[in-house]
């Protein structure tokens, strides 16, 4: 909910309320976000050594504190520091959350639990975005500053809820991996880096589509914000069902291929929306592309969870999930600039380049998975050496 509130208003807040010039804001947020990604790997190591629950609670409390730093950002350097601090804990939280879920529930339930969590996330994100719409309609600065404080309080509530979860013992010292274990697993890092390119799907929707609708098609621009809402609703309806396809490693590989095909086709359909002269036909083409986009995003998330969980080494879950979060975070950070550059500079050809990137990025997944399985050897990616899980009642 806090994310939906903040990410729907931060650009207006920083420029119109805090007085940061738009170009300065973009540079500071981009550089700060990139620097923040560096913290995910050390936090992943702490997840294994201190315990997943304790680490995630600490990270969430720090997110509460760091979100307040935006109240004091009026120039480049304070904004750079605030963006780096906030992004560091945001990225670290993603990896720690997946590691905690994996350790708390039986492996067969891990992906369904993550999928249900994503459903709740999208519903509350939409609620936060609705609250942001009210804030954006206000003329005074007080509601904006108040929204920043509310965002911080949501992290405090989240940390309090997380603290009530069962304790997960840290990895015993005798079974710990090197702190660079995940990075040294070249097949795993390559798989995460390659499939992370599918995270461009979010920049397509948030940055590319609005620009394309406004400049190059006759379709109404209001389709763009409507598409975000429709996408959230469809993900809430179908994420659990689609995620079942990634329960096995082979299914996760197939999910990555399906995500690539659907998102590449989505780009080509969006490009074709520039051809119709009538707004109704152009809008229909855009809606067809949106349907493919939702399908691709659903399969991407299923593939990402399935691959990262099935291929990680037990006893180093925090490290491996930190690598997954960092590679995805890097693409999310550079995605808007890449998409806007290609679309504004090359038009339909830019959509074609994006389609080619999305189509080919999952091709190496199958051979890389075979290398990863061979590398695992006696460790067994299927969990034969999995540490004891927490036993607790289930509702």
């Amino acid at each position: 909910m806090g994310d939906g509130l903040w990410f729907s208003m931060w650009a207006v807040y920083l420029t119109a309320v805090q007085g940061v010039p738009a170009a300065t804001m973009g540079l500071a947020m981009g550089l700060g976000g990139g620097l923040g990604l560096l913290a995910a790997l050390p936090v992943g190591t702490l997840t294994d050594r201190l315990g997943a629950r304790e680490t995630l609670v600490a990270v969430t409390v720090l997110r509460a504190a760091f979100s307040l730093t935006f109240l004091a950002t009026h120039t480049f350097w304070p904004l750079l520091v605030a963006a780096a601090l906030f992004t560091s804990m945001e990225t670290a939280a993603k990896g720690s959350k997946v590691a905690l879920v994996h350790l708390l529930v039986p492996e067969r339930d891990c992906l369904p639990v993550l999928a249900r969590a994503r459903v709740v996330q999208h519903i509350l994100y939409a609620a936060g975005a609705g609250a942001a719409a009210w804030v954006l309609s206000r003329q005074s600065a007080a509601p904006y500053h108040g929204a920043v404080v509310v965002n911080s309080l949501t992290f405090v509530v989240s940390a309090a809820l997380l603290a009530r979860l069962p304790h997960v013992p840290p990895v015993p010292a005798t079974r710990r991996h090197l702190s660079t274990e995940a990075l040294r697993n070249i097949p795993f890092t390559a798989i995460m880096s390659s499939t992370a390119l599918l995270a461009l799907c979010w920049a397509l929707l948030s940055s590319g589509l609005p620009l394309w609708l406004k400049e190059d098609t006759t379709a109404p621009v209001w389709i763009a914000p409507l598409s975000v809402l429709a996408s959230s609703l469809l993900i809430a309806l179908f994420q659990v069902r689609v995620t079942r396809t990634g329960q096995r490693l082979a299914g996760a590989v197939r999910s990555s291929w399906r995500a690539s095909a659907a998102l590449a086709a989505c780009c080509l359909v969006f490009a074709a929306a520039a051809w119709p002269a009538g707004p109704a036909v152009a809008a229909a083409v855009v809606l067809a592309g949106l349907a493919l986009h939702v399908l691709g995003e659903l399969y991407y998330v299923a593939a990402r969870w399935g691959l990262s969980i099935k291929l990680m080494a037990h006893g180093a879950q925090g490290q491996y999930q930190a690598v997954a979060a960092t590679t995805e975070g890097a693409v999310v950070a550079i995605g808007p600039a890449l998409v806007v550059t290609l679309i504004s500079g090359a038009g339909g050809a830019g959509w074609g380049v994006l389609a080619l990137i999305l189509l080919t990025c999952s091709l190496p997944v199958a051979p890389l998975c075979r290398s990863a399985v061979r590398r695992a050897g006696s460790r067994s990616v299927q969990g034969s050496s999995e540490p004891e899980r927490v036993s607790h009642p289930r509702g």
Side-chain angles (χ1 to χ4, degrees), residues 2-383:
D3 284 343
L5 174 63
W6 171 244
F7 289 115
S8 298
M9 57 160 270
W10 67 263
V12 175
Y13 173 71
L14 293 175
T15 54
V17 178
Q18 298 293 73
V20 182
T24 301
M25 178 201 69
L27 182 61
M29 292 295 284
L31 290 176
L35 291 172
L37 295 175
L38 301 176
L41 293 175
V43 173
T45 301
L46 290 176
T47 299
D48 298 323
R49 298 191 175 191
L50 301 181
R53 185 193 66 177
E54 286 72 16
T55 303
L56 185 55
V57 169
V59 164
T60 305
V61 171
L62 288 174
R63 291 182 77 185
F66 292 160
S67 65
L68 294 175
T69 59
F70 289 105
L71 292 170
T73 53
H74 303 281
T75 57
F76 175 80
W77 289 109
L79 181 55
L80 175 69
V81 172
L85 292 173
F86 187 74
T87 303
S88 66
M89 294 301 100
E90 178 191 10
T91 306
K94 293 178 181 178
S96 297
K97 181 185 73 174
V98 176
L100 177 60
V101 171
H102 182 260
L103 291 167
L104 277 178
V105 303
E107 188 157 336
R108 67 179 182 277
D109 295 334
C110 188
L111 265 63
V113 167
L114 288 170
R116 289 195 290 273
R118 190 165 192 254
V119 168
V120 176
Q121 174 189 343
H122 272 75
I123 293 172
L124 294 180
Y125 191 97
W134 179 85
V135 174
L136 291 169
S137 69
R138 304 296 96 183
Q139 299 301 316
S140 63
Y144 289 86
H145 295 314
V148 175
V149 175
V150 169
N151 180 37
S152 176
L153 292 176
T154 64
F155 290 122
V156 174
V157 174
S158 178
L161 294 171
L162 290 169
R164 295 171 61 87
L165 291 173
H167 169 68
V168 177
V171 179
T174 56
R175 298 175 58 185
R176 287 176 187 164
H177 296 265
L178 293 174
S179 60
T180 57
E181 157 69 21
L183 284 176
R184 291 166 59 245
N185 188 334
I186 302 302
F188 179 85
T189 303
I191 290 169
M192 291 297 101
S193 300
S194 179
T195 55
L197 290 170
L198 294 170
L200 286 170
C201 65
W202 295 314
L204 295 181
L205 209 58
S206 65
S207 304
L209 184 59
L211 178 66
W212 184 246
L213 291 174
K214 181 180 179 182
E215 303 293 339
D216 295 276
T217 79
T218 58
V221 179
W222 52 259
I223 289 181
L226 182 63
S227 67
V228 176
L229 176 60
S231 175
S232 293
L233 293 175
L234 290 170
I235 287 169
L237 288 172
F238 296 109
Q239 188 65 74
V240 175
R241 184 181 305 176
V242 172
T243 299
R244 295 193 189 108
T245 63
Q247 288 277 57
R248 300 176 63 84
L249 186 57
V253 173
R254 286 193 295 270
S255 291
S256 71
W257 294 342
R258 291 167 182 165
S260 282
L263 290 172
C266 157
C267 290
L268 297 179
V269 173
F270 282 161
W275 300 342
V281 178
V285 175
V286 171
L287 291 175
L290 288 173
L292 288 167
H293 184 280
V294 170
L295 187 65
E297 182 178 346
L298 288 167
Y299 276 112
Y300 162 62
V301 172
R304 190 75 176 175
W305 284 334
L307 291 169
S308 68
I309 289 173
K310 291 295 182 182
L311 293 173
M312 68 184 178
H314 294 282
Q317 288 93 334
Q319 278 191 57
Y320 276 76
Q321 291 305 320
V323 169
T326 302
T327 52
E328 182 178 275
V331 173
V332 170
I334 67 172
L338 174 64
V339 169
V340 169
T341 300
L342 286 172
I343 292 173
S344 62
W351 284 111
V353 172
L354 287 169
L356 184 62
I357 293 172
L358 292 166
L359 185 63
T360 57
C361 69
S362 66
L363 295 180
V365 172
L368 285 171
C369 278
R370 287 192 289 270
S371 298
V373 172
R374 286 197 300 268
R375 186 187 186 282
S378 60
R379 196 167 55 220
S380 177
V381 297
Q382 298 302 324

